[in-house]
Amino acid sequence: MADVIKSKGWNWQIVSDDCTSVWKNPASETFYLVSRWKNQHKQSFLDMGCGLGRHSVLFAKNGFNVSAFDISENAIERTCDWMQEQGLNINAKVGDMLNIPFEDNSMDCVLCINVISHTDTNGVYKIADELKRVLKQNGECYLTLASKDTWGYKQNWPVVDENTKLRDEEGPEYMVPHFYADYDLISKIFKDFEILDIKHIGTFYTHNNQSYESYHWHLLIRKSNV
Ligand SMILES: C[S@@+](CC[C@H](N)C(=O)[O-])C[C@H]1O[C@@H](n2cnc3c(N)ncnc32)[C@H](O)[C@@H]1O
């Protein structure tokens, strides 16, 4: 395998369990996915890089058979505690998305929200192979990738490769690798999948009186004989 930067999980210890926080409330697009994948009678669901478990809880409450993993031990402990509090079952493990800790052809659907970008270019290619390995035939995956139009790509942060920087800012993502993509790169990385939908979504916010423009690619892909 080509060299890949060592993964570094989030420091979740400095993030509270405040139930109004973004990390405790599902991303809006996941409500669509619950509906879509239920209508397709999908059952096995993998929450890759699950964080505090906001999507694991949502999919388990909607009857999916939920598996999850994250490289952060603290994230897995807190996901398991939250699932238990809710009386929900989960198969959760500490693991690395570069070697997804689940079997070949075992998942009907996989969710990767703001996770895949936490590696470098070789890492993203490896993850695409891993997704193909764990998905069943006609299985679907929804994923987000940071875009080269986002503010972070323009920062003078340490460079890992032509698409990747280390986030040089205090907070839970300090020195975590960030890979940034454009459309052509995405087409190459996911060439073995059917791309069902692709969007480029902007988020605009202010923090400490500074304005930020953040852009992400959102992809819905299917493993099929394309
Ligand atoms: C931005 S958070 C998103 C968490 C969750 N997907 C959500 O939407 O709430 C990114 C997560 O990816 C995890 N992560 C980073 N590198 C990873 C890796 N190599 N393998 C698995 N998880 C990783 C981090 O620990 C963190 O929990």
Side-chain angles (χ1 to χ4, degrees), residues 4-5 7-8 10 46-50 69-70 96-98 100 110-132 135 141-147 163-165 173 176-181 186 189-190 193 216-221:
V4 176
I5 191 171
S7 287
K8 185 172 187 286
W10 265 40
L46 175 62
D47 190 0
M48 176 158 126
C50 59
F69 73 96
D70 198 289
D96 190 334
M97 60 189 168
L98 294 162
I100 298 178
V110 181
L111 184 69
C112 317
I113 299 271
N114 295 348
V115 180
I116 294 183
S117 291
H118 291 329
T119 183
D120 59 14
T121 307
N122 290 339
V124 174
Y125 277 99
K126 168 78 166 112
I127 291 162
D129 286 344
E130 281 292 277
L131 287 171
K132 201 170 165 202
L135 277 170
C141 173
Y142 189 92
L143 63 97
T144 64
L145 276 173
S147 158
N163 308 306
T164 315
K165 294 191 175 186
E173 293 186 301
V176 171
H178 279 64
F179 165 87
Y180 299 93
I186 285 177
I189 294 167
F190 296 103
F193 292 86
H216 285 86
W217 296 99
H218 288 233
L219 274 80
L220 180 62
I221 59 177

Short mmCIF file of all heavy atoms in Angstrom, two decimals, residues 4-5 7-8 10 46-50 69-70 96-98 100 110-132 135 141-147 163-165 173 176-181 186 189-190 193 216-221:
data_model
loop_
_atom_site.label_atom_id
_atom_site.label_comp_id
_atom_site.label_asym_id
_atom_site.label_seq_id
_atom_site.Cartn_x
_atom_site.Cartn_y
_atom_site.Cartn_z
N VAL A 4 0.60 6.36 3.80
CA VAL A 4 -0.56 7.18 4.22
C VAL A 4 -0.19 7.82 5.55
O VAL A 4 0.41 7.16 6.41
CB VAL A 4 -1.82 6.30 4.40
CG1 VAL A 4 -2.98 7.13 4.92
CG2 VAL A 4 -2.21 5.60 3.11
N ILE A 5 -0.56 9.09 5.74
CA ILE A 5 -0.28 9.75 7.01
C ILE A 5 -1.00 9.02 8.14
O ILE A 5 -2.11 8.50 7.95
CB ILE A 5 -0.70 11.24 6.97
CG1 ILE A 5 -0.16 11.97 8.18
CG2 ILE A 5 -2.21 11.40 6.83
CD1 ILE A 5 -0.35 13.48 8.12
N SER A 7 -3.35 8.37 11.09
CA SER A 7 -4.61 9.03 11.45
C SER A 7 -4.52 9.60 12.86
O SER A 7 -3.82 9.06 13.72
CB SER A 7 -5.76 8.04 11.39
OG SER A 7 -6.07 7.76 10.06
N LYS A 8 -5.28 10.66 13.06
CA LYS A 8 -5.36 11.25 14.40
C LYS A 8 -6.83 11.56 14.62
O LYS A 8 -7.42 12.33 13.85
CB LYS A 8 -4.51 12.52 14.44
CG LYS A 8 -4.41 13.17 15.80
CD LYS A 8 -3.38 14.31 15.76
CE LYS A 8 -3.09 14.91 17.11
NZ LYS A 8 -4.15 15.75 17.62
N TRP A 10 -10.35 12.82 16.64
CA TRP A 10 -10.72 14.06 17.32
C TRP A 10 -10.42 13.93 18.81
O TRP A 10 -10.52 12.84 19.38
CB TRP A 10 -12.23 14.28 17.14
CG TRP A 10 -12.55 15.17 16.00
CD1 TRP A 10 -11.95 15.19 14.77
CD2 TRP A 10 -13.58 16.17 15.99
NE1 TRP A 10 -12.55 16.15 14.00
CE2 TRP A 10 -13.55 16.76 14.71
CE3 TRP A 10 -14.52 16.61 16.92
CZ2 TRP A 10 -14.42 17.77 14.35
CZ3 TRP A 10 -15.39 17.61 16.56
CH2 TRP A 10 -15.34 18.19 15.29
N LEU A 46 -23.77 1.07 8.64
CA LEU A 46 -22.48 1.36 9.28
C LEU A 46 -22.28 2.87 9.38
O LEU A 46 -22.33 3.59 8.37
CB LEU A 46 -21.34 0.74 8.47
CG LEU A 46 -19.93 1.07 8.98
CD1 LEU A 46 -19.69 0.55 10.40
CD2 LEU A 46 -18.86 0.48 8.03
N ASP A 47 -22.02 3.32 10.62
CA ASP A 47 -21.72 4.74 10.90
C ASP A 47 -20.19 4.84 11.05
O ASP A 47 -19.64 4.48 12.08
CB ASP A 47 -22.44 5.15 12.20
CG ASP A 47 -22.40 6.64 12.45
OD1 ASP A 47 -21.82 7.37 11.63
OD2 ASP A 47 -22.98 7.06 13.48
N MET A 48 -19.56 5.30 9.97
CA MET A 48 -18.09 5.32 9.95
C MET A 48 -17.57 6.62 10.55
O MET A 48 -17.98 7.70 10.14
CB MET A 48 -17.66 5.18 8.50
CG MET A 48 -16.20 5.26 8.28
SD MET A 48 -15.76 4.46 6.73
CE MET A 48 -14.88 5.77 5.94
N GLY A 49 -16.70 6.53 11.56
CA GLY A 49 -16.23 7.73 12.26
C GLY A 49 -17.42 8.38 12.96
O GLY A 49 -17.77 9.53 12.73
N CYS A 50 -18.03 7.59 13.86
CA CYS A 50 -19.36 7.93 14.39
C CYS A 50 -19.38 9.12 15.34
O CYS A 50 -20.45 9.65 15.64
CB CYS A 50 -19.97 6.71 15.08
SG CYS A 50 -18.94 6.10 16.44
N PHE A 69 -17.93 2.62 14.09
CA PHE A 69 -16.56 2.64 14.62
C PHE A 69 -16.01 4.05 14.53
O PHE A 69 -16.52 4.90 13.80
CB PHE A 69 -15.65 1.64 13.89
CG PHE A 69 -15.26 2.04 12.50
CD1 PHE A 69 -14.06 2.69 12.26
CD2 PHE A 69 -16.09 1.77 11.43
CE1 PHE A 69 -13.68 3.06 10.97
CE2 PHE A 69 -15.74 2.14 10.14
CZ PHE A 69 -14.53 2.78 9.91
N ASP A 70 -14.98 4.28 15.34
CA ASP A 70 -14.28 5.56 15.34
C ASP A 70 -12.87 5.27 15.86
O ASP A 70 -12.67 4.32 16.62
CB ASP A 70 -14.99 6.57 16.26
CG ASP A 70 -14.59 8.01 15.98
OD1 ASP A 70 -13.44 8.39 16.29
OD2 ASP A 70 -15.42 8.77 15.44
N ASP A 96 -9.99 1.99 12.48
CA ASP A 96 -9.45 2.99 11.55
C ASP A 96 -10.10 2.80 10.18
O ASP A 96 -10.14 1.67 9.67
CB ASP A 96 -7.93 2.77 11.46
CG ASP A 96 -7.21 3.88 10.73
OD1 ASP A 96 -7.83 4.56 9.88
OD2 ASP A 96 -6.01 4.06 11.00
N MET A 97 -10.57 3.90 9.59
CA MET A 97 -11.26 3.80 8.30
C MET A 97 -10.33 3.31 7.18
O MET A 97 -10.80 2.92 6.11
CB MET A 97 -11.87 5.14 7.92
CG MET A 97 -10.90 6.28 7.80
SD MET A 97 -11.77 7.84 7.63
CE MET A 97 -10.43 9.01 7.87
N LEU A 98 -9.02 3.32 7.43
CA LEU A 98 -8.10 2.80 6.41
C LEU A 98 -8.14 1.28 6.36
O LEU A 98 -7.70 0.67 5.38
CB LEU A 98 -6.67 3.27 6.71
CG LEU A 98 -6.50 4.79 6.56
CD1 LEU A 98 -5.26 5.27 7.25
CD2 LEU A 98 -6.48 5.18 5.10
N ILE A 100 -11.28 -0.80 7.52
CA ILE A 100 -12.60 -0.80 8.17
C ILE A 100 -12.80 -2.14 8.91
O ILE A 100 -12.65 -3.21 8.31
CB ILE A 100 -13.72 -0.57 7.12
CG1 ILE A 100 -13.54 0.81 6.47
CG2 ILE A 100 -15.10 -0.69 7.77
CD1 ILE A 100 -14.57 1.14 5.39
N VAL A 110 -23.77 2.70 4.22
CA VAL A 110 -22.69 3.27 5.05
C VAL A 110 -22.83 4.79 5.03
O VAL A 110 -23.08 5.39 3.97
CB VAL A 110 -21.29 2.87 4.49
CG1 VAL A 110 -20.19 3.44 5.37
CG2 VAL A 110 -21.14 1.36 4.38
N LEU A 111 -22.63 5.38 6.21
CA LEU A 111 -22.69 6.84 6.33
C LEU A 111 -21.32 7.35 6.78
O LEU A 111 -20.75 6.86 7.75
CB LEU A 111 -23.74 7.22 7.38
CG LEU A 111 -23.99 8.71 7.57
CD1 LEU A 111 -24.68 9.30 6.34
CD2 LEU A 111 -24.88 8.94 8.79
N CYS A 112 -20.80 8.33 6.05
CA CYS A 112 -19.48 8.90 6.40
C CYS A 112 -19.63 10.42 6.37
O CYS A 112 -19.39 11.07 5.36
CB CYS A 112 -18.41 8.53 5.38
SG CYS A 112 -18.44 6.83 4.81
N ILE A 113 -20.07 10.98 7.49
CA ILE A 113 -20.29 12.43 7.55
C ILE A 113 -19.05 13.08 8.16
O ILE A 113 -18.73 12.85 9.33
CB ILE A 113 -21.54 12.78 8.38
CG1 ILE A 113 -22.80 12.16 7.77
CG2 ILE A 113 -21.68 14.29 8.56
CD1 ILE A 113 -23.52 12.98 6.76
N ASN A 114 -18.40 13.90 7.37
CA ASN A 114 -17.21 14.67 7.82
C ASN A 114 -16.13 13.79 8.43
O ASN A 114 -15.56 14.11 9.48
CB ASN A 114 -17.63 15.77 8.82
CG ASN A 114 -18.51 16.80 8.16
OD1 ASN A 114 -18.64 16.83 6.94
ND2 ASN A 114 -19.14 17.64 8.95
N VAL A 115 -15.86 12.69 7.80
CA VAL A 115 -14.88 11.73 8.32
C VAL A 115 -13.76 11.48 7.31
O VAL A 115 -12.57 11.53 7.66
CB VAL A 115 -15.57 10.38 8.62
CG1 VAL A 115 -14.58 9.37 9.15
CG2 VAL A 115 -16.69 10.54 9.58
N ILE A 116 -14.14 11.20 6.06
CA ILE A 116 -13.15 10.72 5.08
C ILE A 116 -12.05 11.75 4.86
O ILE A 116 -10.91 11.40 4.57
CB ILE A 116 -13.85 10.35 3.76
CG1 ILE A 116 -14.75 9.15 4.00
CG2 ILE A 116 -12.84 10.00 2.67
CD1 ILE A 116 -15.44 8.64 2.77
N SER A 117 -12.37 13.02 5.03
CA SER A 117 -11.35 14.07 4.79
C SER A 117 -10.23 14.05 5.81
O SER A 117 -9.24 14.76 5.64
CB SER A 117 -12.00 15.45 4.79
OG SER A 117 -12.81 15.59 3.66
N HIS A 118 -10.38 13.23 6.89
CA HIS A 118 -9.33 13.22 7.92
C HIS A 118 -8.21 12.24 7.59
O HIS A 118 -7.84 11.39 8.41
CB HIS A 118 -9.94 12.91 9.28
CG HIS A 118 -10.81 14.02 9.80
ND1 HIS A 118 -10.60 15.34 9.51
CD2 HIS A 118 -11.92 13.99 10.57
CE1 HIS A 118 -11.52 16.08 10.08
NE2 HIS A 118 -12.34 15.29 10.73
N THR A 119 -7.69 12.34 6.36
CA THR A 119 -6.51 11.57 5.96
C THR A 119 -5.87 12.33 4.82
O THR A 119 -6.20 13.50 4.59
CB THR A 119 -6.91 10.12 5.58
OG1 THR A 119 -5.72 9.39 5.27
CG2 THR A 119 -7.86 10.07 4.39
N ASP A 120 -4.95 11.66 4.09
CA ASP A 120 -4.31 12.35 2.96
C ASP A 120 -4.80 11.72 1.65
O ASP A 120 -5.71 10.88 1.65
CB ASP A 120 -2.79 12.32 3.12
CG ASP A 120 -2.24 10.90 3.18
OD1 ASP A 120 -2.97 9.95 2.84
OD2 ASP A 120 -1.07 10.73 3.58
N THR A 121 -4.17 12.10 0.53
CA THR A 121 -4.67 11.65 -0.78
C THR A 121 -4.61 10.13 -0.90
O THR A 121 -5.60 9.49 -1.29
CB THR A 121 -3.86 12.32 -1.90
OG1 THR A 121 -3.90 13.74 -1.68
CG2 THR A 121 -4.45 11.99 -3.26
N ASN A 122 -3.47 9.52 -0.55
CA ASN A 122 -3.38 8.05 -0.64
C ASN A 122 -4.41 7.40 0.27
O ASN A 122 -4.99 6.36 -0.07
CB ASN A 122 -1.98 7.56 -0.23
CG ASN A 122 -0.93 7.94 -1.27
OD1 ASN A 122 -1.27 8.19 -2.42
ND2 ASN A 122 0.32 7.99 -0.86
N GLY A 123 -4.63 8.01 1.43
CA GLY A 123 -5.61 7.47 2.37
C GLY A 123 -7.02 7.46 1.79
O GLY A 123 -7.76 6.49 1.95
N VAL A 124 -7.40 8.52 1.10
CA VAL A 124 -8.76 8.57 0.54
C VAL A 124 -8.96 7.49 -0.53
O VAL A 124 -10.01 6.83 -0.58
CB VAL A 124 -9.09 9.99 0.01
CG1 VAL A 124 -10.44 10.00 -0.68
CG2 VAL A 124 -9.09 11.00 1.14
N TYR A 125 -7.92 7.25 -1.34
CA TYR A 125 -8.02 6.16 -2.33
C TYR A 125 -8.20 4.81 -1.62
O TYR A 125 -8.99 3.96 -2.04
CB TYR A 125 -6.78 6.12 -3.22
CG TYR A 125 -6.84 7.09 -4.38
CD1 TYR A 125 -6.20 8.33 -4.33
CD2 TYR A 125 -7.56 6.79 -5.54
CE1 TYR A 125 -6.26 9.23 -5.39
CE2 TYR A 125 -7.62 7.67 -6.61
CZ TYR A 125 -6.97 8.90 -6.53
OH TYR A 125 -7.05 9.78 -7.57
N LYS A 126 -7.46 4.62 -0.53
CA LYS A 126 -7.54 3.36 0.22
C LYS A 126 -8.95 3.20 0.82
O LYS A 126 -9.53 2.12 0.82
CB LYS A 126 -6.44 3.38 1.31
CG LYS A 126 -6.55 2.30 2.37
CD LYS A 126 -6.04 0.95 1.88
CE LYS A 126 -5.82 -0.04 2.99
NZ LYS A 126 -6.70 -1.17 3.03
N ILE A 127 -9.50 4.31 1.33
CA ILE A 127 -10.84 4.25 1.94
C ILE A 127 -11.89 3.89 0.88
O ILE A 127 -12.82 3.12 1.15
CB ILE A 127 -11.16 5.58 2.65
CG1 ILE A 127 -10.27 5.75 3.87
CG2 ILE A 127 -12.63 5.65 3.06
CD1 ILE A 127 -10.19 7.17 4.40
N ALA A 128 -11.73 4.43 -0.33
CA ALA A 128 -12.69 4.09 -1.40
C ALA A 128 -12.66 2.57 -1.64
O ALA A 128 -13.71 1.93 -1.81
CB ALA A 128 -12.35 4.86 -2.68
N ASP A 129 -11.47 1.97 -1.61
CA ASP A 129 -11.36 0.50 -1.78
C ASP A 129 -12.03 -0.22 -0.61
O ASP A 129 -12.70 -1.24 -0.79
CB ASP A 129 -9.89 0.06 -1.80
CG ASP A 129 -9.20 0.43 -3.11
OD1 ASP A 129 -9.91 0.75 -4.08
OD2 ASP A 129 -7.95 0.43 -3.14
N GLU A 130 -11.84 0.32 0.59
CA GLU A 130 -12.43 -0.29 1.78
C GLU A 130 -13.96 -0.22 1.74
O GLU A 130 -14.65 -1.17 2.13
CB GLU A 130 -11.91 0.40 3.05
CG GLU A 130 -10.52 -0.05 3.46
CD GLU A 130 -10.52 -1.49 3.92
OE1 GLU A 130 -10.84 -1.75 5.09
OE2 GLU A 130 -10.23 -2.37 3.09
N LEU A 131 -14.49 0.90 1.27
CA LEU A 131 -15.95 1.04 1.18
C LEU A 131 -16.51 0.00 0.19
O LEU A 131 -17.53 -0.63 0.44
CB LEU A 131 -16.33 2.45 0.72
CG LEU A 131 -16.14 3.54 1.79
CD1 LEU A 131 -16.32 4.93 1.17
CD2 LEU A 131 -17.14 3.34 2.95
N LYS A 132 -15.79 -0.18 -0.91
CA LYS A 132 -16.23 -1.16 -1.91
C LYS A 132 -16.20 -2.57 -1.30
O LYS A 132 -17.08 -3.39 -1.55
CB LYS A 132 -15.28 -1.08 -3.11
CG LYS A 132 -15.88 -1.64 -4.36
CD LYS A 132 -15.03 -1.32 -5.55
CE LYS A 132 -15.45 -2.21 -6.69
NZ LYS A 132 -14.43 -2.36 -7.70
N LEU A 135 -19.22 -2.93 1.43
CA LEU A 135 -20.62 -2.79 0.94
C LEU A 135 -21.05 -4.07 0.22
O LEU A 135 -20.28 -4.69 -0.51
CB LEU A 135 -20.72 -1.62 -0.04
CG LEU A 135 -20.89 -0.24 0.56
CD1 LEU A 135 -20.71 0.83 -0.54
CD2 LEU A 135 -22.27 -0.07 1.22
N CYS A 141 -23.63 4.32 -0.19
CA CYS A 141 -22.86 5.07 0.79
C CYS A 141 -23.10 6.56 0.59
O CYS A 141 -23.09 7.03 -0.56
CB CYS A 141 -21.38 4.74 0.62
SG CYS A 141 -20.28 5.75 1.64
N TYR A 142 -23.34 7.25 1.68
CA TYR A 142 -23.45 8.71 1.63
C TYR A 142 -22.22 9.26 2.34
O TYR A 142 -21.91 8.88 3.47
CB TYR A 142 -24.72 9.19 2.34
CG TYR A 142 -25.00 10.67 2.13
CD1 TYR A 142 -25.80 11.09 1.07
CD2 TYR A 142 -24.46 11.64 2.97
CE1 TYR A 142 -26.06 12.44 0.85
CE2 TYR A 142 -24.71 12.99 2.76
CZ TYR A 142 -25.51 13.38 1.69
OH TYR A 142 -25.77 14.72 1.49
N LEU A 143 -21.50 10.15 1.67
CA LEU A 143 -20.27 10.67 2.26
C LEU A 143 -20.08 12.14 1.95
O LEU A 143 -20.59 12.65 0.96
CB LEU A 143 -19.07 9.86 1.76
CG LEU A 143 -18.76 9.92 0.27
CD1 LEU A 143 -17.67 10.93 -0.02
CD2 LEU A 143 -18.31 8.54 -0.22
N THR A 144 -19.33 12.80 2.83
CA THR A 144 -18.97 14.20 2.58
C THR A 144 -17.45 14.29 2.50
O THR A 144 -16.73 13.52 3.14
CB THR A 144 -19.47 15.14 3.69
OG1 THR A 144 -18.83 14.80 4.91
CG2 THR A 144 -20.98 15.04 3.87
N LEU A 145 -17.01 15.24 1.70
CA LEU A 145 -15.57 15.51 1.56
C LEU A 145 -15.37 17.02 1.56
O LEU A 145 -16.13 17.74 0.89
CB LEU A 145 -15.06 14.97 0.22
CG LEU A 145 -14.67 13.51 0.13
CD1 LEU A 145 -14.36 13.15 -1.32
CD2 LEU A 145 -13.47 13.18 1.00
N ALA A 146 -14.36 17.50 2.27
CA ALA A 146 -14.08 18.94 2.25
C ALA A 146 -13.69 19.35 0.83
O ALA A 146 -13.04 18.60 0.11
CB ALA A 146 -12.96 19.25 3.23
N SER A 147 -14.11 20.57 0.46
CA SER A 147 -13.85 21.08 -0.89
C SER A 147 -12.65 22.03 -0.89
O SER A 147 -12.38 22.72 0.10
CB SER A 147 -15.09 21.83 -1.36
OG SER A 147 -14.76 22.74 -2.38
N ASN A 163 -3.10 17.98 -1.78
CA ASN A 163 -4.51 18.15 -1.43
C ASN A 163 -4.76 18.18 0.08
O ASN A 163 -5.92 18.28 0.50
CB ASN A 163 -5.34 16.98 -2.01
CG ASN A 163 -5.08 16.78 -3.48
OD1 ASN A 163 -5.21 17.73 -4.26
ND2 ASN A 163 -4.70 15.57 -3.88
N THR A 164 -3.72 18.06 0.87
CA THR A 164 -3.91 17.79 2.31
C THR A 164 -3.09 18.74 3.20
O THR A 164 -1.91 18.95 2.94
CB THR A 164 -3.49 16.33 2.64
OG1 THR A 164 -4.03 15.46 1.66
CG2 THR A 164 -3.96 15.92 4.02
N LYS A 165 -3.75 19.24 4.26
CA LYS A 165 -3.05 20.09 5.24
C LYS A 165 -3.37 19.61 6.65
O LYS A 165 -4.38 18.93 6.86
CB LYS A 165 -3.52 21.53 5.10
CG LYS A 165 -3.12 22.13 3.75
CD LYS A 165 -3.33 23.62 3.68
CE LYS A 165 -2.79 24.13 2.36
NZ LYS A 165 -2.81 25.56 2.22
N GLU A 173 -9.88 19.45 16.55
CA GLU A 173 -9.25 18.97 15.31
C GLU A 173 -7.79 19.40 15.19
O GLU A 173 -7.22 19.34 14.09
CB GLU A 173 -10.00 19.50 14.09
CG GLU A 173 -11.39 18.97 13.92
CD GLU A 173 -11.98 19.45 12.61
OE1 GLU A 173 -12.10 20.66 12.41
OE2 GLU A 173 -12.34 18.59 11.79
N VAL A 176 -5.13 17.56 13.06
CA VAL A 176 -5.79 16.45 12.36
C VAL A 176 -5.65 16.73 10.86
O VAL A 176 -5.88 17.86 10.41
CB VAL A 176 -7.28 16.36 12.78
CG1 VAL A 176 -8.04 15.37 11.90
CG2 VAL A 176 -7.40 15.96 14.24
N PRO A 177 -5.26 15.71 10.05
CA PRO A 177 -5.14 15.95 8.61
C PRO A 177 -6.48 16.28 7.96
O PRO A 177 -7.52 15.72 8.34
CB PRO A 177 -4.60 14.62 8.05
CG PRO A 177 -4.61 13.65 9.16
CD PRO A 177 -4.88 14.35 10.44
N HIS A 178 -6.45 17.19 6.99
CA HIS A 178 -7.65 17.57 6.22
C HIS A 178 -7.33 17.48 4.73
O HIS A 178 -6.46 18.20 4.24
CB HIS A 178 -8.09 19.00 6.57
CG HIS A 178 -8.89 19.07 7.83
ND1 HIS A 178 -8.37 18.76 9.06
CD2 HIS A 178 -10.19 19.42 8.04
CE1 HIS A 178 -9.31 18.90 9.99
NE2 HIS A 178 -10.42 19.31 9.39
N PHE A 179 -8.06 16.60 4.05
CA PHE A 179 -7.91 16.42 2.60
C PHE A 179 -8.99 17.25 1.91
O PHE A 179 -10.15 17.23 2.34
CB PHE A 179 -8.09 14.92 2.30
CG PHE A 179 -8.32 14.60 0.86
CD1 PHE A 179 -7.25 14.39 -0.01
CD2 PHE A 179 -9.61 14.48 0.36
CE1 PHE A 179 -7.48 14.08 -1.35
CE2 PHE A 179 -9.84 14.16 -0.97
CZ PHE A 179 -8.77 13.97 -1.82
N TYR A 180 -8.62 17.98 0.86
CA TYR A 180 -9.58 18.86 0.15
C TYR A 180 -9.66 18.41 -1.30
O TYR A 180 -8.63 18.20 -1.96
CB TYR A 180 -9.11 20.31 0.23
CG TYR A 180 -9.04 20.83 1.65
CD1 TYR A 180 -7.85 20.76 2.37
CD2 TYR A 180 -10.15 21.38 2.28
CE1 TYR A 180 -7.76 21.23 3.68
CE2 TYR A 180 -10.07 21.85 3.59
CZ TYR A 180 -8.88 21.77 4.28
OH TYR A 180 -8.81 22.22 5.57
N ALA A 181 -10.91 18.29 -1.82
CA ALA A 181 -11.11 17.72 -3.16
C ALA A 181 -11.75 18.72 -4.11
O ALA A 181 -12.41 19.67 -3.69
CB ALA A 181 -12.00 16.49 -3.04
N ILE A 186 -12.59 13.83 -7.28
CA ILE A 186 -13.67 12.96 -6.79
C ILE A 186 -14.03 11.92 -7.85
O ILE A 186 -14.21 10.73 -7.55
CB ILE A 186 -14.89 13.81 -6.40
CG1 ILE A 186 -14.59 14.52 -5.07
CG2 ILE A 186 -16.16 12.97 -6.28
CD1 ILE A 186 -15.68 15.42 -4.61
N ILE A 189 -11.38 9.23 -7.75
CA ILE A 189 -11.36 8.39 -6.53
C ILE A 189 -12.52 7.40 -6.53
O ILE A 189 -12.36 6.24 -6.15
CB ILE A 189 -11.41 9.29 -5.27
CG1 ILE A 189 -10.14 10.11 -5.17
CG2 ILE A 189 -11.62 8.47 -4.00
CD1 ILE A 189 -10.20 11.25 -4.16
N PHE A 190 -13.70 7.85 -6.97
CA PHE A 190 -14.88 6.98 -6.89
C PHE A 190 -15.27 6.40 -8.25
O PHE A 190 -16.43 6.10 -8.49
CB PHE A 190 -16.04 7.74 -6.23
CG PHE A 190 -15.72 8.11 -4.80
CD1 PHE A 190 -15.34 9.40 -4.47
CD2 PHE A 190 -15.72 7.15 -3.81
CE1 PHE A 190 -14.99 9.73 -3.16
CE2 PHE A 190 -15.36 7.46 -2.50
CZ PHE A 190 -15.00 8.75 -2.17
N PHE A 193 -17.46 3.26 -8.53
CA PHE A 193 -18.84 3.32 -8.00
C PHE A 193 -19.73 4.04 -9.00
O PHE A 193 -19.26 4.81 -9.84
CB PHE A 193 -18.88 4.13 -6.70
CG PHE A 193 -18.18 3.49 -5.54
CD1 PHE A 193 -16.81 3.66 -5.34
CD2 PHE A 193 -18.90 2.73 -4.62
CE1 PHE A 193 -16.17 3.09 -4.27
CE2 PHE A 193 -18.24 2.15 -3.53
CZ PHE A 193 -16.88 2.33 -3.36
N HIS A 216 -18.49 21.78 1.21
CA HIS A 216 -18.30 20.32 1.23
C HIS A 216 -18.98 19.68 0.03
O HIS A 216 -20.05 20.13 -0.40
CB HIS A 216 -18.90 19.72 2.51
CG HIS A 216 -18.05 19.97 3.71
ND1 HIS A 216 -18.15 21.10 4.46
CD2 HIS A 216 -17.06 19.22 4.28
CE1 HIS A 216 -17.26 21.07 5.44
NE2 HIS A 216 -16.60 19.94 5.36
N TRP A 217 -18.35 18.63 -0.49
CA TRP A 217 -19.00 17.77 -1.48
C TRP A 217 -19.84 16.75 -0.72
O TRP A 217 -19.38 16.19 0.29
CB TRP A 217 -17.93 17.03 -2.30
CG TRP A 217 -17.08 17.96 -3.11
CD1 TRP A 217 -15.84 18.41 -2.79
CD2 TRP A 217 -17.41 18.55 -4.36
NE1 TRP A 217 -15.37 19.25 -3.76
CE2 TRP A 217 -16.31 19.35 -4.75
CE3 TRP A 217 -18.51 18.48 -5.21
CZ2 TRP A 217 -16.28 20.08 -5.93
CZ3 TRP A 217 -18.49 19.20 -6.39
CH2 TRP A 217 -17.40 19.99 -6.74
N HIS A 218 -21.05 16.51 -1.20
CA HIS A 218 -21.92 15.47 -0.63
C HIS A 218 -22.19 14.47 -1.74
O HIS A 218 -22.71 14.85 -2.79
CB HIS A 218 -23.25 16.06 -0.15
CG HIS A 218 -23.09 16.88 1.10
ND1 HIS A 218 -23.85 16.66 2.23
CD2 HIS A 218 -22.27 17.91 1.42
CE1 HIS A 218 -23.50 17.51 3.18
NE2 HIS A 218 -22.54 18.30 2.70
N LEU A 219 -21.85 13.23 -1.52
CA LEU A 219 -22.00 12.21 -2.57
C LEU A 219 -22.88 11.06 -2.09
O LEU A 219 -22.73 10.61 -0.94
CB LEU A 219 -20.64 11.57 -2.89
CG LEU A 219 -19.75 12.25 -3.90
CD1 LEU A 219 -19.03 13.40 -3.25
CD2 LEU A 219 -18.72 11.26 -4.41
N LEU A 220 -23.73 10.61 -2.98
CA LEU A 220 -24.45 9.36 -2.75
C LEU A 220 -23.96 8.40 -3.83
O LEU A 220 -24.11 8.69 -5.03
CB LEU A 220 -25.97 9.59 -2.87
CG LEU A 220 -26.84 8.37 -2.66
CD1 LEU A 220 -26.70 7.80 -1.24
CD2 LEU A 220 -28.32 8.72 -2.91
N ILE A 221 -23.32 7.31 -3.40
CA ILE A 221 -22.71 6.39 -4.37
C ILE A 221 -23.24 4.97 -4.14
O ILE A 221 -23.70 4.64 -3.05
CB ILE A 221 -21.16 6.40 -4.27
CG1 ILE A 221 -20.69 6.01 -2.87
CG2 ILE A 221 -20.61 7.78 -4.64
CD1 ILE A 221 -19.16 5.93 -2.73
#
